[in-house]
Amino acid sequence: MFMRKYLIPVLIIVLSLAACRRPDTSGRDTIALVKSIAADYSAPEHILLASNGKPASSGDIYIVGDSSSCALISNSFLECDIYENARGRYWSDGLKDFAGERFASISDKLFTPYGSFGEQNGYDALRELSVRFTLSALSPKCNASIYDLDGNLEKVPAKMIILADPWFQSYGKFDIDTLFTLCACSVPVISPQDLLFDAALGMEKKYFNCGIICDSLYLASGIYQTVFNAKLTEHKVVGAHSFVAATPSGKVLAGFLESYLSAGGEEPLDALLIDDWRVNLNSVEEEVKAMRDFSREEYLRYGKLLAPDFNVFAASQLTMSRCYELLRERSLFTHRIAQPQSLGFTVKARPVEDGTEYLLIPVENVQD
């Protein structure tokens, strides 16, 4: 009930922000690849994008990024049941919310870790890679094997794309949005980090102290601080602070607050932002209740670290809710009577050196 109390108004804010968002071209330039595709109406990529002015409900939902993130997100969608499907109300009805849908993962082990791109050329290559991944998701073709260099195998194209990695939010989402707008492509591209930070920073409060929980793989990279700082500018929030920590084992909130205390944190937190799809949100909500209970020991150590209006936001919940609402709003549900399914593509290097070009091969066809 704790999350339901806050999630519905949060989703209204998130949906409003997403509906109004356009590529911010003032003071920011897109990459050469985007300019080239947008300017050439005869380019195959431009034709592909323009043909998706209205996505087909028969399309698949693509998840793009490093392989572990894709697997976590795909599995979460397969098990998702947070809506009453008949009316779309926020209430579990015992039925899978994405029944009949297929989730296709473009799982990348070739170019990861994405932080290494910055050592090469200021992340422009990563921005280009993110654009190319979305084009691969939209394409009706892929490579049958490592020997099919032209891409002769048919596949189902994307009707929605989820960027599984926070690096794509910082280095790629702007370029993807710009390209899709310029080429009149209306396939939704969802960034969990966009939704997470917009939900927290979209409030009226202009002084903010928040905690951020992420996978340990991202902690040392500083990518979440980069996203946070950019979102502060976007939302015109001043005087805000954040503390980032890896997902603790055991009790998540208590473990995070222990890390916060060990780092010298004393000021109450206004929000906790969770960007780890393995975290059980109900368990965190129960921890909050325990820390609010003045008769329990938890309050003595941790309760003082939670502001009176403390909120918990989870990228998993926000992303699945956003995707569900978009499918309903745009009539993109397949309405197939079947359990949700998953399939995968893996990214392989081409046998010739040509930048970020790659082969996209169905997992069952991969030969090492």
Side-chain angles (χ1 to χ4, degrees):
M1 290 300 296
F2 176 86
M3 194 62 189
R4 290 196 185 100
K5 178 180 177 183
Y6 294 105
L7 184 58
I8 293 176
V10 164
L11 285 176
I12 293 172
I13 292 171
V14 170
L15 293 175
S16 299
L17 288 167
C20 297
R21 185 177 295 120
R22 295 290 184 272
D24 179 15
T25 56
S26 59
R28 189 175 183 184
D29 198 13
T30 190
I31 56 175
L33 175 65
V34 170
K35 294 177 182 178
S36 173
I37 294 173
D40 186 358
Y41 288 79
S42 64
E45 297 90 346
H46 193 121
I47 294 171
L48 174 66
L49 289 159
S51 68
N52 279 278
K54 187 181 187 308
S57 62
S58 58
D60 287 345
I61 299 169
Y62 275 70
I63 304 168
V64 177
D66 73 277
S67 56
S68 59
S69 295
C70 284
L72 280 172
I73 293 175
S74 177
N75 290 336
S76 295
F77 270 97
L78 294 181
E79 297 301 320
C80 180
D81 176 24
I82 56 179
Y83 281 92
E84 189 269 307
N85 291 330
R87 299 176 179 83
R89 296 181 301 181
Y90 188 75
W91 194 264
S92 172
D93 62 358
L95 302 173
K96 297 293 187 289
D97 291 336
F98 295 93
E101 302 301 325
R102 293 203 314 175
F103 294 88
S105 295
I106 297 181
S107 300
D108 178 21
K109 292 183 179 179
L110 178 63
F111 298 107
T112 55
Y114 297 128
S116 62
F117 276 80
E119 303 166 5
Q120 304 168 20
N121 57 0
Y123 296 110
D124 277 359
L126 180 57
R127 295 169 69 182
E128 180 174 320
L129 179 67
S130 67
V131 170
R132 291 193 183 279
F133 276 161
T134 56
L135 291 171
S136 294
L138 291 173
S139 175
K141 298 284 188 178
C142 64
N143 306 93
S145 71
I146 57 175
Y147 308 108
D148 174 22
L149 303 184
D150 296 324
N152 292 298
L153 184 66
E154 292 187 356
K155 72 174 183 65
V156 178
K159 63 180 176 183
M160 180 180 289
I161 302 171
I162 301 168
L163 303 178
D165 199 284
W167 286 95
F168 288 157
Q169 195 282 332
S170 283
Y171 304 101
K173 183 63 161 58
F174 166 79
D175 302 288
I176 295 166
D177 288 346
T178 300
L179 180 62
F180 279 35
T181 298
L182 293 174
C183 296
C185 176
S186 64
V187 172
V189 179
I190 309 297
S191 164
Q193 294 76 37
D194 254 348
L195 298 177
L196 184 62
F197 284 88
D198 285 347
L201 297 174
M203 305 298 183
E204 294 182 359
K205 195 169 188 176
K206 295 304 176 186
Y207 177 80
F208 209 80
N209 185 33
C210 72
I212 302 170
I213 289 179
C214 67
D215 190 294
S216 59
L217 295 174
Y218 297 105
L219 185 61
S221 69
I223 184 60
Y224 281 91
Q225 193 61 51
T226 300
V227 176
F228 181 73
N229 291 339
K231 284 294 181 180
L232 292 181
T233 301
E234 180 181 328
H235 288 281
K236 298 181 173 58
V237 175
V238 295
H241 306 279
S242 67
F243 174 75
V244 186
T247 307
S249 57
K251 291 187 176 182
V252 173
L253 182 55
F256 176 84
L257 292 176
E258 280 291 345
S259 298
Y260 182 60
L261 286 168
S262 298
E266 298 178 347
E267 202 168 338
L269 294 167
D270 298 290
L272 178 65
L273 281 60
I274 303 173
D275 194 17
D276 188 337
W277 291 60
R278 297 169 299 181
V279 172
N280 185 312
L281 191 56
N282 290 331
S283 297
V284 177
E285 293 167 4
E286 289 301 318
E287 285 191 80
V288 174
K289 291 178 183 177
M291 293 176 191
R292 294 290 196 202
D293 187 345
F294 288 82
S295 65
R296 300 181 62 165
E297 183 180 357
E298 288 91 339
Y299 177 80
L300 296 177
R301 182 164 180 81
Y302 302 125
K304 63 183 179 180
L305 297 176
L306 306 182
D309 56 353
F310 176 78
N311 280 297
V312 179
F313 301 95
S316 56
Q317 198 92 344
L318 291 166
T319 303
M320 290 187 288
S321 294
R322 178 60 176 153
C323 291
Y324 183 89
E325 294 296 336
L326 277 172
L327 291 175
R328 285 184 65 92
E329 289 171 11
R330 302 191 184 185
S331 299
L332 289 176
F333 273 112
T334 60
H335 298 297
R336 286 193 294 258
I337 302 175
Q339 291 293 320
Q341 298 177 318
S342 65
L343 67 152
F345 299 90
T346 192
V347 178
K348 290 288 185 179
R350 294 180 70 88
V352 293
E353 292 290 338
D354 49 5
T356 57
E357 290 293 328
Y358 54 84
L359 302 176
L360 187 68
I361 306 172
V363 170
E364 62 268 21
N365 293 1
V366 174
Q367 299 174 336
D368 293 322

